Coordinates of all heavy atoms in Angstrom, one line a residue:
M1 N -7.3 -15.8 3.2 CA -7.1 -14.9 2.1 C -8.5 -14.4 1.7 O -9.5 -15.2 1.7 CB -6.4 -15.5 1.0 CG -6.2 -14.6 -0.2 SD -4.8 -15.1 -1.1 CE -4.5 -13.6 -2.0
I2 N -8.6 -13.2 1.3 CA -9.9 -12.6 0.9 C -10.3 -13.0 -0.5 O -9.4 -13.1 -1.4 CB -9.8 -11.0 1.0 CG1 -9.5 -10.5 2.4 CG2 -11.1 -10.4 0.4 CD1 -9.3 -9.0 2.4
S3 N -11.5 -13.3 -0.7 CA -12.0 -13.7 -2.0 C -12.7 -12.5 -2.6 O -13.7 -11.9 -2.0 CB -13.0 -14.9 -1.8 OG -13.5 -15.2 -3.1
F4 N -12.3 -12.1 -3.7 CA -12.9 -10.9 -4.4 C -14.0 -11.3 -5.4 O -13.9 -12.3 -6.0 CB -11.8 -10.1 -5.1 CG -10.8 -9.4 -4.2 CD1 -9.5 -9.7 -4.3 CD2 -11.2 -8.5 -3.3 CE1 -8.5 -9.1 -3.5 CE2 -10.3 -7.8 -2.5 CZ -9.0 -8.1 -2.6
T5 N -14.9 -10.4 -5.6 CA -15.9 -10.5 -6.6 C -15.2 -10.2 -7.9 O -14.1 -9.6 -7.9 CB -17.1 -9.6 -6.4 OG1 -16.6 -8.2 -6.5 CG2 -17.8 -9.8 -5.1
Q6 N -15.9 -10.4 -9.0 CA -15.3 -10.1 -10.3 C -15.1 -8.6 -10.5 O -14.1 -8.1 -11.0 CB -16.2 -10.6 -11.5 CG -15.6 -10.4 -12.9 CD -14.3 -11.1 -13.1 OE1 -14.0 -12.2 -12.6 NE2 -13.4 -10.5 -13.8
Q7 N -16.0 -7.8 -10.0 CA -15.9 -6.4 -10.0 C -14.7 -5.9 -9.2 O -13.9 -5.0 -9.6 CB -17.2 -5.7 -9.5 CG -17.2 -4.2 -9.7 CD -18.5 -3.6 -9.2 OE1 -19.2 -4.2 -8.3 NE2 -18.8 -2.4 -9.7
E8 N -14.5 -6.5 -8.0 CA -13.4 -6.1 -7.2 C -12.1 -6.4 -7.8 O -11.1 -5.7 -7.8 CB -13.5 -6.7 -5.8 CG -14.7 -6.2 -5.0 CD -15.1 -7.0 -3.8 OE1 -14.7 -8.2 -3.8 OE2 -15.7 -6.5 -2.9
K9 N -12.0 -7.6 -8.5 CA -10.8 -8.0 -9.2 C -10.5 -7.0 -10.3 O -9.3 -6.7 -10.5 CB -11.0 -9.4 -9.8 CG -11.0 -10.5 -8.8 CD -11.3 -11.9 -9.4 CE -11.4 -13.0 -8.4 NZ -11.7 -14.3 -9.0
Q10 N -11.5 -6.5 -11.0 CA -11.3 -5.6 -12.1 C -10.7 -4.3 -11.5 O -9.8 -3.7 -12.1 CB -12.6 -5.3 -12.8 CG -13.1 -6.4 -13.6 CD -14.5 -6.2 -14.2 OE1 -15.3 -5.5 -13.7 NE2 -14.7 -6.9 -15.3
V11 N -11.3 -3.8 -10.3 CA -10.8 -2.6 -9.7 C -9.3 -2.8 -9.4 O -8.5 -1.9 -9.6 CB -11.6 -2.3 -8.5 CG1 -10.9 -1.1 -7.7 CG2 -13.0 -1.9 -8.9
V12 N -8.9 -3.9 -8.8 CA -7.5 -4.2 -8.4 C -6.7 -4.2 -9.6 O -5.6 -3.6 -9.6 CB -7.4 -5.5 -7.6 CG1 -6.0 -5.9 -7.5 CG2 -8.1 -5.4 -6.3
E13 N -7.1 -4.8 -10.7 CA -6.3 -4.9 -11.9 C -6.1 -3.5 -12.5 O -5.0 -3.1 -12.9 CB -6.9 -5.8 -13.0 CG -6.1 -6.0 -14.2 CD -4.7 -6.4 -13.9 OE1 -4.4 -7.3 -13.0 OE2 -3.8 -6.0 -14.7
L14 N -7.2 -2.7 -12.5 CA -7.0 -1.3 -13.0 C -6.1 -0.5 -12.2 O -5.3 0.3 -12.7 CB -8.4 -0.6 -13.1 CG -9.4 -1.1 -14.2 CD1 -10.8 -0.5 -14.0 CD2 -8.8 -0.8 -15.5
F15 N -6.2 -0.7 -10.8 CA -5.3 0.0 -9.9 C -3.8 -0.4 -10.2 O -2.9 0.5 -10.3 CB -5.6 -0.4 -8.5 CG -4.7 0.2 -7.5 CD1 -4.9 1.6 -7.1 CD2 -3.7 -0.5 -6.9 CE1 -4.1 2.1 -6.1 CE2 -2.8 0.1 -6.0 CZ -3.0 1.4 -5.6
R16 N -3.6 -1.6 -10.5 CA -2.2 -2.1 -10.8 C -1.7 -1.5 -12.1 O -0.5 -1.3 -12.2 CB -2.1 -3.6 -10.8 CG -2.2 -4.2 -9.5 CD -2.1 -5.7 -9.5 NE -2.1 -6.3 -8.2 CZ -2.3 -7.5 -7.9 NH1 -2.6 -8.4 -8.9 NH2 -2.2 -7.9 -6.7
Q17 N -2.5 -1.1 -13.0 CA -2.1 -0.5 -14.2 C -1.8 0.9 -14.1 O -1.2 1.5 -15.1 CB -3.2 -0.7 -15.3 CG -3.4 -2.2 -15.7 CD -4.6 -2.4 -16.6 OE1 -5.0 -1.5 -17.3 NE2 -5.1 -3.6 -16.6
L18 N -2.2 1.6 -13.0 CA -1.9 3.0 -12.9 C -0.4 3.2 -12.7 O 0.4 2.4 -12.2 CB -2.6 3.5 -11.6 CG -4.1 3.6 -11.6 CD1 -4.6 4.0 -10.3 CD2 -4.5 4.6 -12.7
D19 N 0.0 4.4 -13.1 CA 1.4 4.9 -12.8 C 1.6 4.8 -11.3 O 0.7 5.2 -10.5 CB 1.6 6.3 -13.3 CG 2.9 6.8 -13.0 OD1 3.9 6.5 -13.7 OD2 3.0 7.6 -12.1
P20 N 2.7 4.3 -10.8 CA 2.9 4.3 -9.3 C 2.7 5.6 -8.6 O 2.1 5.5 -7.5 CB 4.4 3.8 -9.2 CG 4.7 3.1 -10.4 CD 3.9 3.8 -11.5
G21 N 3.0 6.7 -9.2 CA 2.7 8.0 -8.5 C 1.2 8.3 -8.4 O 0.8 8.9 -7.4
R22 N 0.4 7.8 -9.3 CA -1.0 8.0 -9.2 C -1.7 7.1 -8.2 O -2.8 7.4 -7.7 CB -1.6 7.8 -10.6 CG -1.1 8.8 -11.7 CD -1.4 10.2 -11.3 NE -2.8 10.5 -11.2 CZ -3.3 11.5 -10.5 NH1 -2.5 12.4 -9.9 NH2 -4.6 11.7 -10.4
R23 N -1.1 5.9 -8.0 CA -1.7 4.9 -7.1 C -1.9 5.6 -5.7 O -2.9 5.4 -5.0 CB -0.8 3.7 -6.9 CG -0.8 2.9 -8.1 CD 0.1 1.7 -7.9 NE 0.3 1.0 -9.2 CZ 1.3 0.2 -9.4 NH1 2.2 -0.1 -8.5 NH2 1.4 -0.4 -10.6
R24 N -0.9 6.3 -5.3 CA -1.0 7.0 -4.0 C -2.2 7.9 -3.9 O -2.9 8.0 -2.9 CB 0.3 7.7 -3.7 CG 0.4 8.3 -2.3 CD 1.7 8.9 -2.1 NE 1.8 9.3 -0.7 CZ 2.9 9.9 -0.2 NH1 3.9 10.1 -0.9 NH2 2.9 10.3 1.1
A25 N -2.4 8.7 -5.0 CA -3.5 9.7 -5.0 C -4.8 8.9 -4.9 O -5.8 9.4 -4.3 CB -3.4 10.5 -6.2
V26 N -4.9 7.8 -5.6 CA -6.1 7.0 -5.6 C -6.4 6.5 -4.3 O -7.5 6.5 -3.8 CB -6.1 5.9 -6.7 CG1 -7.2 4.9 -6.5 CG2 -6.1 6.5 -8.1
L27 N -5.4 6.0 -3.6 CA -5.5 5.4 -2.2 C -6.0 6.5 -1.3 O -6.9 6.3 -0.4 CB -4.2 4.8 -1.7 CG -3.9 3.5 -2.4 CD1 -2.5 3.0 -1.9 CD2 -4.9 2.4 -2.0
F28 N -5.5 7.7 -1.4 CA -5.9 8.8 -0.5 C -7.4 9.1 -0.7 O -8.1 9.4 0.2 CB -5.0 10.0 -0.7 CG -3.7 9.9 0.0 CD1 -2.5 10.2 -0.6 CD2 -3.6 9.5 1.4 CE1 -1.3 10.1 0.0 CE2 -2.4 9.4 2.0 CZ -1.2 9.7 1.3
E29 N -7.8 9.2 -2.0 CA -9.2 9.5 -2.3 C -10.1 8.4 -1.8 O -11.1 8.7 -1.2 CB -9.3 9.6 -3.9 CG -10.7 10.0 -4.3 CD -11.1 11.4 -3.9 OE1 -10.2 12.2 -3.7 OE2 -12.3 11.6 -3.7
M30 N -9.7 7.1 -1.9 CA -10.5 6.1 -1.4 C -10.6 6.1 0.2 O -11.6 5.8 0.7 CB -10.0 4.7 -1.8 CG -10.1 4.5 -3.3 SD -9.3 3.1 -4.0 CE -10.0 1.8 -3.1
A31 N -9.5 6.5 0.8 CA -9.5 6.6 2.2 C -10.4 7.6 2.8 O -11.0 7.4 3.8 CB -8.0 6.9 2.7
Q32 N -10.6 8.7 2.0 CA -11.5 9.8 2.5 C -13.0 9.3 2.5 O -13.8 9.8 3.2 CB -11.4 11.0 1.6 CG -10.0 11.7 1.7 CD -9.9 12.9 0.8 OE1 -10.8 13.2 0.0 NE2 -8.8 13.6 0.9
A33 N -13.3 8.3 1.7 CA -14.6 7.7 1.7 C -15.0 7.0 3.0 O -16.2 6.9 3.3 CB -14.8 6.8 0.5
D34 N -14.0 6.5 3.7 CA -14.3 5.8 5.0 C -13.1 6.1 5.9 O -12.2 5.3 6.1 CB -14.4 4.3 4.7 CG -14.6 3.5 5.9 OD1 -15.0 4.0 7.0 OD2 -14.5 2.2 5.8
S35 N -13.1 7.3 6.6 CA -12.0 7.7 7.4 C -11.8 6.8 8.6 O -10.6 6.5 9.0 CB -12.1 9.1 7.8 OG -13.3 9.3 8.6
N36 N -12.8 6.3 9.2 CA -12.6 5.4 10.4 C -12.0 4.1 10.0 O -11.1 3.6 10.6 CB -14.0 5.2 11.1 CG -14.4 6.4 11.9 OD1 -13.6 7.2 12.3 ND2 -15.7 6.5 12.1
G37 N -12.5 3.5 8.9 CA -12.0 2.3 8.4 C -10.6 2.5 7.9 O -9.7 1.6 8.1
W38 N -10.3 3.6 7.3 CA -8.9 3.9 6.9 C -7.9 4.0 8.1 O -6.8 3.4 8.0 CB -8.9 5.2 6.1 CG -7.5 5.6 5.8 CD1 -6.7 6.6 6.3 CD2 -6.6 4.9 4.8 NE1 -5.5 6.6 5.7 CE2 -5.4 5.6 4.8 CE3 -6.7 3.8 4.0 CZ2 -4.3 5.2 4.0 CZ3 -5.7 3.5 3.2 CH2 -4.5 4.2 3.2
K39 N -8.4 4.6 9.2 CA -7.5 4.7 10.3 C -7.1 3.3 10.9 O -6.0 3.0 11.2 CB -8.1 5.5 11.4 CG -8.2 7.0 11.1 CD -8.9 7.7 12.2 CE -9.1 9.2 11.7 NZ -10.0 9.9 12.6
Q40 N -8.1 2.4 10.9 CA -7.8 1.0 11.3 C -6.9 0.3 10.3 O -6.0 -0.4 10.7 CB -9.1 0.2 11.5 CG -10.0 0.7 12.6 CD -11.3 0.0 12.7 OE1 -11.7 -0.7 11.8 NE2 -12.0 0.2 13.8
Y41 N -7.2 0.4 9.1 CA -6.4 -0.2 8.0 C -5.0 0.4 8.0 O -4.0 -0.4 7.9 CB -7.1 0.1 6.7 CG -6.3 -0.4 5.5 CD1 -6.4 -1.8 5.2 CD2 -5.6 0.4 4.6 CE1 -5.7 -2.3 4.1 CE2 -4.9 -0.1 3.6 CZ -4.9 -1.5 3.3 OH -4.2 -2.0 2.2
Q42 N -4.9 1.7 8.3 CA -3.5 2.3 8.3 C -2.7 1.8 9.4 O -1.5 1.5 9.3 CB -3.7 3.8 8.4 CG -2.4 4.6 8.4 CD -2.6 6.1 8.5 OE1 -3.7 6.5 8.9 NE2 -1.6 6.8 8.1
A43 N -3.3 1.6 10.6 CA -2.6 1.1 11.8 C -2.1 -0.3 11.5 O -0.9 -0.7 11.8 CB -3.5 1.1 13.0
K44 N -2.9 -1.2 10.9 CA -2.5 -2.5 10.6 C -1.5 -2.5 9.5 O -0.5 -3.3 9.5 CB -3.7 -3.4 10.1 CG -4.7 -3.7 11.2 CD -5.9 -4.5 10.6 CE -7.0 -4.7 11.6 NZ -8.1 -5.4 11.1
G45 N -1.7 -1.7 8.5 CA -0.7 -1.6 7.4 C 0.6 -1.1 7.8 O 1.6 -1.7 7.3
E46 N 0.7 -0.1 8.6 CA 2.0 0.4 9.1 C 2.7 -0.7 9.9 O 3.9 -0.8 9.7 CB 1.8 1.7 9.9 CG 3.1 2.4 10.1 CD 2.9 3.8 10.7 OE1 1.9 4.5 10.3 OE2 3.8 4.2 11.5
S47 N 2.0 -1.4 10.7 CA 2.7 -2.5 11.4 C 3.2 -3.5 10.5 O 4.4 -4.0 10.7 CB 1.6 -3.1 12.4 OG 2.2 -4.3 13.0
R48 N 2.5 -3.9 9.4 CA 3.0 -4.8 8.5 C 4.1 -4.3 7.7 O 5.1 -5.0 7.4 CB 1.8 -5.2 7.5 CG 2.2 -6.2 6.5 CD 2.5 -7.6 7.1 NE 2.7 -8.6 6.0 CZ 3.7 -9.4 6.0 NH1 4.6 -9.5 7.0 NH2 3.9 -10.2 5.0
L49 N 4.1 -3.0 7.3 CA 5.2 -2.4 6.6 C 6.5 -2.4 7.4 O 7.6 -2.7 6.9 CB 4.9 -1.0 6.2 CG 3.9 -0.9 5.0 CD1 3.4 0.6 4.9 CD2 4.5 -1.4 3.7
R50 N 6.4 -2.2 8.7 CA 7.5 -2.2 9.6 C 8.1 -3.6 9.6 O 9.3 -3.8 9.5 CB 7.1 -1.9 11.0 CG 7.1 -0.4 11.3 CD 6.9 -0.1 12.8 NE 7.1 1.3 13.1 CZ 6.2 2.2 12.9 NH1 4.9 1.8 12.6 NH2 6.4 3.5 13.2
E51 N 7.2 -4.6 9.6 CA 7.7 -6.0 9.6 C 8.4 -6.4 8.3 O 9.4 -7.0 8.3 CB 6.5 -6.9 9.8 CG 6.8 -8.4 9.9 CD 5.5 -9.2 10.0 OE1 4.6 -8.8 10.8 OE2 5.4 -10.3 9.4
L52 N 7.8 -6.0 7.2 CA 8.4 -6.3 5.9 C 9.7 -5.6 5.7 O 10.6 -6.1 5.1 CB 7.4 -5.9 4.8 CG 6.1 -6.7 4.6 CD1 5.1 -6.1 3.7 CD2 6.5 -8.1 4.1
A53 N 9.8 -4.3 6.2 CA 11.0 -3.6 6.1 C 12.1 -4.3 6.9 O 13.3 -4.4 6.4 CB 10.8 -2.1 6.6
R54 N 11.7 -4.7 8.1 CA 12.7 -5.4 9.0 C 13.2 -6.7 8.3 O 14.4 -7.0 8.3 CB 12.0 -5.7 10.3 CG 12.9 -6.2 11.4 CD 12.3 -6.3 12.8 NE 10.9 -6.7 12.8 CZ 9.9 -6.0 13.0 NH1 10.0 -4.7 13.3 NH2 8.6 -6.4 13.0
E55 N 12.3 -7.4 7.6 CA 12.7 -8.6 6.9 C 13.7 -8.3 5.8 O 14.5 -9.2 5.4 CB 11.5 -9.3 6.3 CG 10.6 -9.9 7.3 CD 9.3 -10.5 6.7 OE1 9.2 -10.5 5.4 OE2 8.4 -10.9 7.5
K56 N 13.7 -7.1 5.3 CA 14.6 -6.7 4.2 C 15.8 -5.9 4.7 O 16.6 -5.3 4.0 CB 13.9 -5.9 3.1 CG 12.9 -6.7 2.4 CD 12.3 -6.0 1.2 CE 11.2 -6.8 0.5 NZ 11.7 -7.7 -0.4
G57 N 16.0 -5.9 6.1 CA 17.1 -5.3 6.7 C 17.0 -3.8 6.8 O 18.0 -3.1 7.0
L58 N 15.7 -3.3 6.8 CA 15.5 -1.8 6.8 C 14.8 -1.5 8.1 O 14.1 -2.3 8.7 CB 14.7 -1.3 5.7 CG 15.2 -1.6 4.3 CD1 14.2 -1.3 3.2 CD2 16.5 -0.8 4.0
D59 N 15.0 -0.2 8.6 CA 14.3 0.3 9.8 C 13.3 1.3 9.3 O 13.6 2.4 8.9 CB 15.3 0.9 10.7 CG 14.6 1.4 12.0 OD1 13.4 1.6 12.1 OD2 15.4 1.7 13.0
W60 N 12.0 0.9 9.3 CA 10.9 1.8 8.8 C 11.0 3.2 9.4 O 10.8 4.2 8.7 CB 9.6 1.1 9.1 CG 8.4 1.9 8.6 CD1 7.6 2.6 9.4 CD2 7.9 2.0 7.3 NE1 6.6 3.3 8.7 CE2 6.8 2.9 7.4 CE3 8.3 1.5 6.1 CZ2 6.0 3.2 6.3 CZ3 7.5 1.9 5.0 CH2 6.4 2.7 5.1
D61 N 11.2 3.2 10.7 CA 11.2 4.5 11.4 C 12.4 5.4 11.0 O 12.3 6.6 11.2 CB 11.2 4.3 12.9 CG 10.0 3.6 13.4 OD1 8.9 4.0 12.9 OD2 10.0 2.7 14.2
R62 N 13.4 4.9 10.4 CA 14.6 5.7 10.0 C 14.5 6.1 8.5 O 15.3 6.9 8.0 CB 15.9 5.0 10.3 CG 16.2 4.9 11.7 CD 17.5 4.2 11.9 NE 17.8 4.2 13.4 CZ 19.0 4.4 13.9 NH1 20.0 4.6 13.1 NH2 19.1 4.4 15.2
L63 N 13.5 5.5 7.8 CA 13.4 5.8 6.4 C 12.7 7.2 6.2 O 11.7 7.5 7.0 CB 12.5 4.8 5.6 CG 13.1 3.4 5.6 CD1 12.1 2.4 4.9 CD2 14.4 3.3 4.9
N64 N 13.1 8.0 5.3 CA 12.4 9.3 5.0 C 11.2 9.0 4.1 O 11.0 7.8 3.7 CB 13.4 10.3 4.5 CG 13.9 10.0 3.1 OD1 13.2 9.4 2.2 ND2 15.2 10.3 2.8
D65 N 10.4 10.0 3.9 CA 9.2 9.8 3.1 C 9.5 9.2 1.7 O 8.7 8.3 1.3 CB 8.4 11.1 3.0 CG 7.7 11.5 4.3 OD1 7.5 10.6 5.2 OD2 7.4 12.7 4.4
D66 N 10.5 9.7 1.1 CA 10.8 9.2 -0.3 C 11.2 7.7 -0.2 O 10.9 6.9 -1.1 CB 11.9 10.0 -0.9 CG 11.4 11.4 -1.3 OD1 10.2 11.6 -1.5 OD2 12.3 12.3 -1.5
Q67 N 12.0 7.4 0.8 CA 12.5 6.0 0.9 C 11.3 5.1 1.2 O 11.2 4.0 0.7 CB 13.5 5.9 2.0 CG 14.8 6.5 1.6 CD 15.8 6.7 2.8 OE1 15.4 7.0 3.9 NE2 17.1 6.4 2.6
R68 N 10.4 5.5 2.1 CA 9.2 4.7 2.4 C 8.4 4.5 1.1 O 7.9 3.4 0.8 CB 8.3 5.4 3.4 CG 9.0 5.3 4.8 CD 8.1 6.0 5.8 NE 8.7 5.9 7.2 CZ 8.1 6.4 8.3 NH1 7.0 7.0 8.2 NH2 8.7 6.2 9.4
Q69 N 8.2 5.6 0.4 CA 7.4 5.5 -0.9 C 8.0 4.5 -1.9 O 7.4 3.7 -2.5 CB 7.2 6.9 -1.5 CG 6.4 6.9 -2.8 CD 5.0 6.6 -2.6 OE1 4.4 6.8 -1.5 NE2 4.3 6.0 -3.5
D70 N 9.4 4.6 -2.0 CA 10.1 3.7 -2.9 C 9.9 2.3 -2.4 O 9.7 1.3 -3.2 CB 11.6 4.1 -2.9 CG 11.9 5.3 -3.7 OD1 11.0 5.8 -4.4 OD2 13.0 5.9 -3.5
F71 N 10.0 2.0 -1.1 CA 9.8 0.7 -0.6 C 8.4 0.2 -0.9 O 8.3 -1.0 -1.3 CB 10.1 0.7 1.0 CG 9.9 -0.6 1.6 CD1 10.8 -1.6 1.5 CD2 8.8 -0.8 2.4 CE1 10.6 -2.8 2.1 CE2 8.6 -2.0 3.1 CZ 9.5 -3.0 2.9
I72 N 7.4 1.0 -0.7 CA 6.0 0.5 -0.9 C 5.8 0.3 -2.4 O 5.2 -0.7 -2.8 CB 5.0 1.6 -0.4 CG1 5.1 1.6 1.1 CG2 3.6 1.3 -0.9 CD1 4.4 2.8 1.8
E73 N 6.3 1.1 -3.2 CA 6.2 0.9 -4.7 C 6.9 -0.4 -5.1 O 6.4 -1.1 -6.0 CB 6.7 2.1 -5.5 CG 5.8 3.3 -5.4 CD 6.4 4.5 -6.0 OE1 7.4 4.5 -6.7 OE2 5.7 5.6 -5.9
E74 N 8.0 -0.7 -4.5 CA 8.7 -1.9 -4.8 C 7.9 -3.1 -4.4 O 7.8 -4.1 -5.1 CB 10.1 -2.0 -4.0 CG 10.9 -3.2 -4.3 CD 12.2 -3.2 -3.5 OE1 12.9 -2.2 -3.5 OE2 12.4 -4.2 -2.8
L75 N 7.2 -3.0 -3.2 CA 6.4 -4.1 -2.8 C 5.2 -4.3 -3.8 O 4.9 -5.4 -4.2 CB 5.8 -3.8 -1.4 CG 6.8 -4.0 -0.2 CD1 6.1 -3.5 1.1 CD2 7.3 -5.4 -0.1
V76 N 4.5 -3.2 -4.1 CA 3.4 -3.2 -5.0 C 3.7 -3.7 -6.4 O 3.1 -4.6 -6.9 CB 2.7 -1.9 -5.1 CG1 1.6 -1.9 -6.1 CG2 2.1 -1.5 -3.7
D77 N 4.8 -3.2 -6.9 CA 5.2 -3.6 -8.3 C 5.9 -5.0 -8.4 O 5.8 -5.6 -9.4 CB 6.2 -2.6 -8.8 CG 5.5 -1.2 -9.1 OD1 4.3 -1.2 -9.2 OD2 6.3 -0.2 -9.2
G78 N 6.5 -5.4 -7.2 CA 7.2 -6.7 -7.3 C 6.5 -7.8 -6.6 O 5.9 -8.7 -7.2
D79 N 6.5 -7.8 -5.3 CA 6.1 -8.9 -4.5 C 4.6 -9.2 -4.6 O 4.2 -10.4 -4.4 CB 6.4 -8.6 -3.0 CG 7.9 -8.6 -2.7 OD1 8.6 -9.0 -3.5 OD2 8.2 -8.1 -1.6
L80 N 3.7 -8.2 -4.9 CA 2.3 -8.5 -4.9 C 1.8 -9.0 -6.2 O 0.7 -9.3 -6.4 CB 1.6 -7.2 -4.5 CG 1.8 -6.7 -3.0 CD1 1.1 -5.5 -2.7 CD2 1.5 -7.8 -2.0
R81 N 2.6 -9.0 -7.2 CA 2.2 -9.4 -8.6 C 2.4 -10.8 -8.8 O 3.1 -11.5 -8.2 CB 2.9 -8.6 -9.7 CG 2.3 -7.2 -9.8 CD 2.7 -6.6 -11.0 NE 1.9 -5.4 -11.1 CZ 1.8 -4.7 -12.2 NH1 2.3 -5.1 -13.3 NH2 1.1 -3.6 -12.2

């Protein structure tokens, strides 16, 4: 598990306090700061999302964009807290 500095912990906590719809915009803005890193992170993340969806009886590839967003928000708001 990654160990965060106090400043990083504060950023994460502030992120969690954002409206779920704004979280996505913030993530996209952060991704633009390091596009190569984002591409690697995205590939790993998508693989993990497929796995988590499968564990919940869902097929990631069959979900539409709204369903994927709802699934991710459910993960962020529920399982990660």
Side-chain angles (χ1 to χ4, degrees):
M1 179 151 201
I2 297 174
S3 179
F4 290 121
T5 66
Q6 185 60 34
Q7 186 179 24
E8 291 165 338
K9 288 177 184 177
Q10 290 173 335
V11 170
V12 170
E13 185 55 37
L14 288 171
F15 178 80
R16 287 182 174 162
Q17 293 175 20
L18 291 173
D19 178 79
R22 298 301 299 159
R23 290 180 191 159
R24 185 176 187 181
V26 169
L27 286 174
F28 282 130
E29 184 65 29
M30 292 170 60
Q32 290 178 359
D34 180 12
S35 62
N36 288 333
W38 175 251
K39 288 175 187 173
Q40 292 175 347
Y41 179 76
Q42 184 180 17
K44 289 179 186 177
E46 192 168 325
S47 174
R48 181 67 176 133
L49 285 169
R50 279 190 169 83
E51 180 182 323
L52 290 169
R54 190 171 36 255
E55 288 175 8
K56 296 187 181 277
L58 302 170
D59 182 344
W60 179 259
D61 295 317
R62 290 183 176 220
L63 299 176
N64 65 36
D65 287 341
D66 288 338
Q67 291 169 320
R68 287 179 178 184
Q69 182 66 28
D70 289 345
F71 177 74
I72 292 168
E73 287 176 7
E74 180 182 312
L75 287 174
V76 171
D77 291 340
D79 294 346
L80 297 179
R81 281 197 173 196

